[in-house]
């Protein structure tokens, strides 16, 4: 087994930096971009033709079908992007730039941003955050983009199952972040195989489990250990490594406004869930 593992190792000069990861992910997504663009353009041309030339009855029967095809294309684009992210993570593992982060302040900002965006889009779903960690806060080595990815994938997974769902985040005193939703959940053994062992069943992959595989991948990159707990919905416990803030760093120093980046990630995720853009077109 050791021989097989060493044979899979890549020289550091080939792939392994954040810039390499971005280039690789862009290349993988770019392979499909032309196909998606052609499909989108063809459907838009057909839509314009029907609006201008078809009878009212034909429009009533065909335009909803076209909208369903637009939605499917958006979902496929998101699926391809998730696949590219998974492939990138495998090849660039260890290149993440982790830094001290106080989770309470960061999660509060992310929750406020997400709820504002959901409300603007007319989604009844919400994220609830409860910080039980105390006045000193919960410090850990983390990467903001990976943390954003964990929560955005958990949220979009819930939205695909329940548009009015609630994702509850609890930061516990025992250095654990618990994420639980009120969706239909999945069989406990299947969820544990997927998130704790990275071994999804064929059925789960067919139902779009790539987002949850990304959750596992992002958590592993920050050395967060996952445990799936019993619950009416999906309940995940992230055990955080025992890091302390460096000397002189305060809670105020840790909290940085990332509203623009958070909104960009969330908008892309929501566009992929239902294939619809934000009402104001931003």
């Amino acid at each position: 087994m050791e021989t097989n593992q060493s044979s899979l190792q890549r020289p550091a000069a080939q792939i392994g930096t954040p810039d390499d990861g971005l280039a690789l992910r862009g290349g993988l997504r770019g392979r499909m971009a032309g196909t998606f663009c052609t499909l989108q353009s063809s459907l838009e041309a057909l839509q314009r033709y029907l609006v201008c030339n078809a009878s009212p009855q034909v429009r009533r029967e065909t335009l909803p079908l076209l909208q369903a095809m637009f939605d499917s294309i958006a979902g496929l684009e998101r699926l391809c992007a998730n696949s590219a992210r998974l492939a990138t993570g495998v090849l660039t593992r260890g290149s993440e730039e982790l830094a001290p982060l106080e989770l309470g302040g960061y999660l509060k900002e992310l929750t406020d941003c997400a709820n504002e965006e959901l409300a603007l889009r007319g989604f009844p779903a919400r994220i609830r955050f409860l910080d039980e960690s105390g006045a000193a806060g919960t410090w850990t080595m983390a990467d903001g983009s990976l943390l954003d990815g964990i929560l955005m994938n958990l949220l979009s997974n819930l939205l695909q199952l329940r548009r009015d769902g609630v994702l509850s985040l609890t930061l516990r005193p025992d250095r654990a972040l618990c994420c639980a939703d009120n969706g239909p959940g999945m069989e406990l053994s299947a969820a544990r195989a997927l998130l704790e062992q990275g071994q999804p069943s064929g059925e789960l992959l067919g139902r779009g489990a790539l987002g949850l595989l990304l959750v596992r991948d992002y958590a592993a990159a920050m050395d967060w250990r996952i445990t799936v707990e019993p619950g009416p919905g999906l309940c995940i416990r992230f055990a955080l490594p025992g890091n302390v803030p460096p000397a002189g760093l305060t809670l105020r120093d840790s909290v940085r406004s990332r509203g623009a980046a958070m909104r960009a990630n969330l908008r892309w995720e929501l566009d992929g869930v239902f294939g619809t853009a934000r009402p104001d077109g931003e």
Side-chain angles (χ1 to χ4, degrees), residues 3-269:
T3 302
N4 292 338
Q5 288 178 352
S6 62
S7 66
L8 293 175
Q9 292 178 354
R10 304 180 64 91
Q14 291 187 23
I15 294 178
T17 69
D19 287 343
D20 289 337
L22 289 174
L24 174 62
R25 189 170 72 202
L28 291 171
R29 293 179 64 181
R31 289 178 179 271
M32 297 298 296
T35 301
F36 285 129
C37 183
T38 300
L39 286 172
Q40 189 84 14
S41 299
S42 299
L43 288 178
E44 288 175 351
L46 180 57
Q47 185 181 51
R48 287 194 297 269
Y49 175 82
L50 290 172
V51 169
C52 296
N53 300 286
S55 66
Q57 180 178 353
V58 170
R59 289 200 298 270
R60 285 194 300 270
E61 294 175 350
T62 57
L63 290 180
L65 298 177
L66 280 178
Q67 185 58 54
M69 295 177 71
F70 281 124
D71 295 349
S72 296
I73 290 175
L76 284 172
E77 285 186 291
R78 183 171 177 273
L79 179 62
C80 287
N82 277 350
S83 300
R85 286 171 175 168
L86 278 173
T88 302
V90 170
L91 294 175
T92 60
R93 174 59 51 77
S95 66
E96 297 82 7
E97 297 180 356
L98 305 183
L101 182 71
E102 198 286 306
L103 284 183
Y106 192 93
L107 290 172
K108 175 65 167 60
E109 184 181 8
L110 179 57
T111 299
D112 290 345
C113 175
N115 284 333
E116 179 183 347
E117 188 68 24
L118 288 167
L120 287 171
R121 286 172 171 264
F123 282 84
R126 290 294 179 268
I127 301 179
R128 295 174 181 169
F129 173 58
L130 178 62
D131 188 351
E132 300 176 344
S133 61
T138 299
W139 291 84
T140 189
M141 297 296 290
D143 177 277
S145 61
L146 294 178
L147 182 53
D148 292 353
I150 288 175
L151 296 183
M152 292 306 101
N153 275 285
L154 289 176
L155 177 61
S156 60
N157 180 71
L158 174 61
L159 288 175
Q160 291 179 76
L161 300 171
R162 183 169 177 175
R163 188 179 178 125
D164 63 346
V166 175
L167 177 63
S168 299
L169 314 177
T170 304
L171 196 53
R172 295 180 178 172
D174 60 350
R175 297 192 57 77
L177 172 63
C178 295
C179 304
D181 65 40
N182 62 345
M186 64 177 70
E187 185 180 348
L188 187 59
S189 60
R192 285 176 171 168
L194 170 66
L195 287 161
E196 296 178 8
Q197 304 165 22
Q199 298 176 352
S201 65
E203 180 185 357
L204 283 180
L205 286 177
R207 287 162 47 191
L210 282 179
L212 293 178
L213 279 177
L214 281 172
V215 168
R216 182 181 187 275
D217 196 57
Y218 293 163
M222 296 186 291
D223 198 25
W224 291 13
R225 185 168 54 85
I226 289 181
T227 303
V228 179
E229 300 181 340
L234 182 61
C235 184
I236 305 172
R237 181 183 185 274
F238 298 93
L240 311 175
N243 299 110
V244 296
L249 192 61
T250 66
L251 293 180
R252 185 178 298 276
D253 295 327
S254 171
V255 179
R256 297 176 297 131
S257 176
R258 286 175 45 88
M262 291 175 180
R263 284 185 172 83
N265 286 337
L266 182 60
R267 288 176 187 178
W268 186 84
E269 291 288 345

